[in-house]
Every structure is written in structure tokens, then in C-alpha cells.
Amino acid sequence: MDNFYSPEVMDHFINPRNVGELADANGIGEIGNAKCGDIMKMYIRVENGVIADVRFKTFGCGSAIASSSVATEMIKGKTIEQALALSNREVIEALGGLPAHKIHCSVLAEQSIRAAVADYYKRLGIDPEPIVGKVFTGEELESMHDA
Ligand code: FES
């Protein structure tokens, strides 16, 4: 798939799932890509180690909106470990592919989930890095923009 959007991308872009804020979120992650300027904010509510609810707000391109929408569906009801294991490749597969120059949009979804889980652990007074690993910042994501 080169420059065309799959029906799945169009569906999630036109009719995104789980949009908005989560008033009772106990983890919030925000990731931006410095080059394209797009920002994704992920809200999660963790209950007993499970992502009980999730919402997102994405100020960005259609691929970023579709990536965050499908990613929320993929982690809702899953354990923290399963949510952390979600890769941008799986997001792309669930979307039926993304054009090469839009791959980085799916990375925003992967990393915003990691940032939200990191925030969840920080709020509990737990150092998230040994559990969550490194969360990429906007500047590091910049280098992935054309990857
Ligand atoms: Fe940068 Fe899609 S997130 S163009």
C-alpha cells in the first residue's frame, strides 16, 4: 500500500471510536511529533491491572486519528502488560496498512499509550521506566517522521 488509504483507515477517520476526555482517568499521556506538529493525548482508567476505559484526543492528520481510534479499541479491556505490548506494527495491520510516509502516525498511538501507563505508575509513586521502558519524546519521534 503506497499512497492510498484503506477502508479501515477511512472508517476510523470518519467515525473515530473513544474520542474525548476521560474525567476519571488515572493515567494521561501526551505525545507530539515536533516535525509534523501533530499531538495525541491518551486517557486511561486502570482498574485491577486492566484498562477499564480509554479515550483519546488527537490534533493531527487522518492517519493519526485512525491510529489512535483503532489503538483504543485494541487496548480496552486488556491488561496493562497487553496494552504495553501493542506495537505500531499491529496498529498498522489493524488499519489494513498505512502509506509509508504515514507510518510515524501509528508510532504516536503506541507511544501515547506507553506515556499514559507511565503517568499511571508515576501517580502511584512508582518509577515507570523499569516497567514501561522508554517513552519517545517529540524530538525523537521527529526522526521517525519520514521513516
Ligand atoms: Fe504526523 Fe500524521 S502524525 S502526519
Side-chain angles (χ1 to χ4, degrees):
M1 180 164 182
D2 285 320
N3 287 308
F4 296 100
Y5 293 109
S6 70
E8 292 91 337
V9 172
M10 294 307 295
D11 177 34
H12 278 276
F13 171 53
I14 292 167
N15 182 28
R17 280 63 138 185
N18 302 310
V19 177
E21 296 182 15
L22 203 54
D24 55 356
N26 53 11
I28 300 174
E30 182 175 309
I31 297 286
N33 184 304
K35 188 162 181 180
C36 66
D38 293 345
I39 297 169
M40 193 178 289
K41 199 163 181 178
M42 196 65 71
Y43 302 79
I44 57 171
R45 191 177 77 248
V46 180
E47 287 174 11
N48 301 319
V50 169
I51 311 290
D53 210 352
V54 54
R55 296 278 190 288
F56 78 92
K57 281 168 75 176
T58 292
F59 305 93
C61 74
S63 298
I65 290 167
S67 293
S68 37
S69 171
V70 80
T72 59
E73 286 196 320
M74 293 170 86
I75 65 165
K76 195 169 181 176
K78 300 285 170 56
T79 65
I80 289 177
E81 290 75 19
Q82 289 169 322
L84 287 175
L86 181 72
S87 71
N88 79 301
R89 289 280 151 204
E90 290 171 301
V91 169
I92 292 169
E93 273 172 35
L95 288 174
L98 279 175
H101 67 289
K102 291 290 182 179
I103 299 296
H104 77 278
C105 315
S106 63
V107 177
L108 278 185
E110 175 197 284
Q111 294 298 317
S112 63
I113 290 168
R114 300 181 81 81
V117 173
D119 181 53
Y120 166 73
Y121 281 118
K122 271 188 220 156
R123 291 179 191 214
L124 295 174
I126 299 169
D127 177 12
E129 194 151 337
I131 305 163
V132 177
K134 186 160 174 52
V135 177
F136 288 102
T137 66
E139 276 178 22
E140 288 159 322
L141 284 171
E142 186 176 348
S143 63
M144 297 179 190
H145 193 271
D146 298 319

